Structure formats: structure tokens, C-alpha cells
Amino acid sequence: MGKPKVVLGVSGGIAAYKACELLRRLTESGHDVRVVPTVSALQFVGAATWSALSGNPVSTEVWDDVHEVPHVRIGQQADLVVVAPATADTLAKAAHGLADDLLTNTLLTARCPVVFAPAMHTEMWEHPATRENVATLRRRGAVVIEPAVGRLTGVDTGKGRLPEPAEIFEVCRRVLARGVPEPDLAGRHVVVSAGGTREPLDPVRFLGNRSSGKQGYALARTAAARGARVTLIAANTGLPDPAGVDVVQVGTAVQLREAVLKAAPDADAVVMAAAVADFRPAAYAQGKIKKRDGQEPDPIVLVRNPDILAEISADRLRPGQVIVGFAAETDDVLANGRTKLKRKGCDLLVVNEVGERKTFGSEENEAVILGADGSETPVPPGLKEALAEKVWDLVVTRLS
Ligand code: CTP
């Protein structure tokens, strides 16, 4: 089998430079990428860059290289078309079927999945014309990623930023592997916690844990792909924001609890993938704790942190809400999991075995998902994304 063929459409916005990073990720992971910029995209990044990074010729017009690749072939032969950045103008042309350059021709001839990663000023994104164009494209089966919120060109900030190239790449990888996702979480709001809390001892030290946040980010990313509005509460992960997800950054268990309690009353599902510290230092030293010659260090006194999962499971802030917990165990994994499920009172508990090289920081996971109804769903070793998909499958059945 040859390499999957990807068309990277680039339209004319300042974020075009970020598409170079997306292109590099696509080529390095074994895709044959043909870049199709618009004429205005070349104002930002020149054809030589696209050609050098992709190893393929670059043209903007249907009349270029006609003898080699008729313009219809590029779209026909593609396994995926991704347009990043997609400007308001390109979205409008795509929605209305205009075909006045090579990119718009390619979009009309493509029969493969199409992903748009829009980037524009907030006013343009929110304009009814753009809203309707996006709705039209989604109705026809295209994936339109929600832009990120943040710094735009110049001093403006707001919604309209191109998501991180690494995250656009993740969306492409998922669509290539699994096709355009069923929007079975559309209209739902889900809250996911991720990462590991840090409990400060003094201005420079904390008690922490080895959670990377990757499983929680995979849950957030897959829920967004399935159409959910996602609030990701991230504790100390240092990972790029998943595309189309609202991220709330927290540090400690107490801050995590506040953020969960704020978001949960409006959520159809809450998934607690974060590793929450059970204890925190009883006292916080305002100044750095210093060693003193000839003296033993003072012991660190700990106090219990609130159990967020048990609290939201007991209080059920919204009727019908599905609550999912995670349990990392080292021995008697399933028996401990069952006891924990009862103790926490959640609907599903994802139980995985942890060890030095297992789970923490790795791309893969293996688990059993226990249900309060007595069900047991084994998830074979695989990417954290696959486990995330299984969790949402079980959540969706419980929501409907
Ligand atoms: N959790 C939580 N609040 C805490 C501790 C844990 O909400 N203070 C959540 C985690 O997010 C996870 C689940 O509870 O979804 C299980 O975490 P785990 O640390 O395995 O459970 P513990 O109650 O701490 O049990 P153990 O005695 O095994 O540490």
C-alpha cells in the first residue's frame, strides 16, 4: 500500500506559517502531502517553502502543470483534504461550491473526508454569513474545527486563532484512521479533568505525581470530535490545548474541585481522569524552607484533600448526569476497582494497572471499564484515544 495521500490546502491568513508545522508532522508520519495554497496564502509563505517541505510541486491555479496532474486528479486521489488555515473567504467558497482556483477545484472533486481549520478575526467568525457557511459544510459531512480563543493578529484577542498544529494533526490522524466521526455527543456538554495536582510546600516545592494528562487530553479531543462542547480542567500538564476545547488551568486539588463544581451543574457527563492528590501539606511556608546546620528537618504534616469524584457522585449536580472515575491500581486490580466504584458512587470506573513503565506518560493504555450496573468492558492495549472512544461509547449509551 502506498502512503496515504493528503492535500493540505492553505488559504491567505497570517496563520499560514503554522501550516508548515502541520505539513512537517504529516510528512514525517508517512503521508504523501500535496500542498495547494491560494494566491493570497503565498503572500505569507512562499511556494518554495511548501515545495521543499512536502517534496511535491506546488501550484495555485488549475492551469499550472496541466500535462502532469490535471486539476481534478488532486482531489479525486486524496485520502484526506485538510484546509489550514481556512479563511472566511475559503469557507464561503467551499460552502457555495465556487471553483476559481486549484484549492476550490480540489474541494469540489474530493470525495474523501475534508477537515477545515478556520482562523480569522472574531467578528468574521461570528458573522451570520460565516456561521451559516460553517453549518452548511458540517451538514455536508465536513469536519470544521472550532478555532481557539487567544491572541489574534496584532493586539486583538478572542475566538479565531488557529488551533495548535499538533492538535490539527491529531484531528487529521483520527479522521484518516476512523473516518468522519458520528456526532453522537452533539448538543452535550462534557467536563474532563486531566493531569496531576501539585500541592505547594513553599514557593519553590510541591508534592506532585507522575500523571502526564495524556489520557484526559485524549478524552477531551475525542469528545470534541464527536460533537460535544468540552470543558477540560487541566492540572499542570504543559500540553497544547486540544482543538475546539475550552481549557481551564488549575494547580492544586482545591482549585480543581472549584473548577469541577463550577462546570459540573451544566454537564451531561463528568470524567475525572486527573490524578488528584489525596493529601496536601497542612501548612504553606511563605518563604523557602531552609536547611539548618546540625538540625533534622521538620516532618511534613499532611491533611486530607476533598474527594471530588465522591462528592459530585453523591450530590448529582444535574439529573441524568453520567460520572466516570479512573483508578490506577498496582495489585488486585479488579477487586480494588469494584470496591472503589462502590465507595466513589460513580457510574463507570476505568481501572488500569500502573507500574514504572505502564500508563504514566506513555501513549498507550490498557484497562477494564467497570459499570455500577455490574458490567465489565475490557479495553485491549492500544492508544489512549481508543480507550477514550470506548469511554464515550459507554457514556453515550447511558445518556440515551
Ligand atoms: N479523585 C478525586 N479526588 C481525590 C482523589 C481522587 O476526585 N481527592 C478521583 C480521581 O480523579 C479518579 C478517582 O478519584 O477519578 C480515583 O482516584 P484514586 O487516586 O485511584 O482513588 P483514591 O480515592 O485516592 O484511592 P486510593 O486509596 O487507592 O488512593
Side-chain angles (χ1 to χ4, degrees), residues 193 253 256 271-278 305-310 324-329 340 343-344 349:
S193 71
L256 181 63
V271 182
M272 287 291 298
V276 185
D278 289 321
N305 266 330
D307 188 325
I308 308 162
L309 179 62
V324 185
F326 271 71
E329 303 289 343
K340 196 169 279 183
R343 181 158 54 82
K344 301 269 186 179
L349 189 75

Side-chain angles (χ1 to χ4, degrees), residues 27-387:
T27 51
E28 282 180 3
S29 55
H31 300 89
D32 178 16
V33 189
R34 175 88 200 217
V35 183
V36 182
T38 62
V39 170
S40 44
L42 295 183
Q43 297 281 345
F44 297 95
V45 180
T49 303
W50 300 122
S51 178
L53 287 175
S54 68
N56 276 320
V58 169
S59 26
T60 57
E61 303 305 324
V62 293
W63 315 114
D64 301 337
D65 305 316
V66 185
H67 59 292
E68 279 174 20
V69 188
H71 63 273
V72 290
R73 285 279 181 280
I74 296 176
Q76 282 173 342
Q77 293 174 347
D79 296 301
L80 175 79
V81 178
V82 50
V83 186
T87 57
D89 182 60
T90 296
L91 292 174
K93 283 181 177 159
H96 293 277
L98 300 189
D100 59 356
D101 63 4
L102 188 57
L103 177 56
T104 44
N105 271 271
T106 301
L107 287 167
L108 276 186
T109 49
R111 291 296 173 268
C112 59
V114 179
V115 174
F116 292 95
M120 63 197 72
H121 264 76
T122 312
E123 291 80 2
M124 296 174 97
W125 174 250
E126 288 174 351
H127 194 283
T130 308
R131 306 304 322 134
E132 279 173 33
N133 291 333
V134 168
T136 302
L137 292 167
R138 285 187 175 147
R139 203 175 52 248
R140 290 191 199 132
V143 174
V144 184
I145 303 175
E146 286 291 312
V149 177
R151 179 99 189 265
L152 304 169
T153 324
V155 293
D156 294 352
T157 57
K159 187 161 185 169
R161 255 174 85 89
L162 189 73
E164 289 306 316
E167 290 299 321
I168 302 173
F169 172 71
E170 288 301 330
V171 173
C172 295
R173 199 168 67 153
R174 185 182 193 281
V175 169
L176 272 167
R178 303 172 65 105
V180 175
E182 252 323 287
D184 56 0
L185 284 169
R188 303 290 190 178
H189 175 212
V190 305
V191 174
V192 177
S193 71
T197 60
R198 289 181 182 177
E199 309 299 323
L201 272 164
D202 69 14
V204 293
R205 303 185 180 94
F206 58 81
L207 299 181
N209 60 66
R210 284 152 51 90
S211 174
S212 67
K214 286 180 181 169
Q215 183 61 62
Y217 275 59
L219 280 153
R221 198 182 285 132
T222 47
R226 290 165 76 148
R229 177 161 74 84
V230 184
T231 304
L232 172 63
I233 301 170
N236 312 299
T237 60
L239 298 171
D241 292 354
V245 165
D246 294 327
V247 183
V248 181
Q249 303 283 353
V250 296
T252 65
V254 168
Q255 290 167 356
L256 181 63
R257 174 176 175 271
E258 262 168 42
V260 169
L261 294 187
K262 188 165 169 221
D266 176 49
D268 296 286
V270 181
V271 182
M272 287 291 298
V276 185
D278 289 321
F279 311 103
R280 67 175 181 276
Y284 172 74
Q286 295 295 334
K288 187 182 171 195
I289 302 170
K290 306 287 275 185
K291 56 185 171 306
R292 283 159 302 190
D293 284 344
Q295 277 188 30
E296 289 300 311
D298 290 336
I300 295 169
V301 180
L302 300 174
V303 292
R304 286 284 288 265
N305 266 330
D307 188 325
I308 308 162
L309 179 62
E311 182 177 346
I312 57 170
S313 300
D315 294 352
R316 296 284 162 171
L317 298 166
R318 180 176 168 151
Q321 186 175 69
V322 180
I323 300 177
V324 185
F326 271 71
E329 303 289 343
T330 51
D331 318 284
D332 289 336
V333 178
L334 280 189
N336 281 338
R338 275 270 160 232
T339 315
K340 196 169 279 183
L341 176 66
K342 276 217 184 68
R343 181 158 54 82
K344 301 269 186 179
C346 51
D347 303 296
L348 294 165
L349 189 75
V350 184
V351 188
N352 43 49
E353 193 177 343
V354 289
E356 277 292 316
R357 272 175 297 282
K358 276 187 174 168
T359 301
F360 290 118
S362 91
E363 302 299 332
E364 299 212 343
N365 217 343
E366 175 185 4
V368 178
I369 307 175
L370 303 177
D373 55 3
S375 63
E376 218 163 87
T377 312
V379 186
L383 289 177
K384 290 186 171 178
E385 246 81 29
L387 174 57

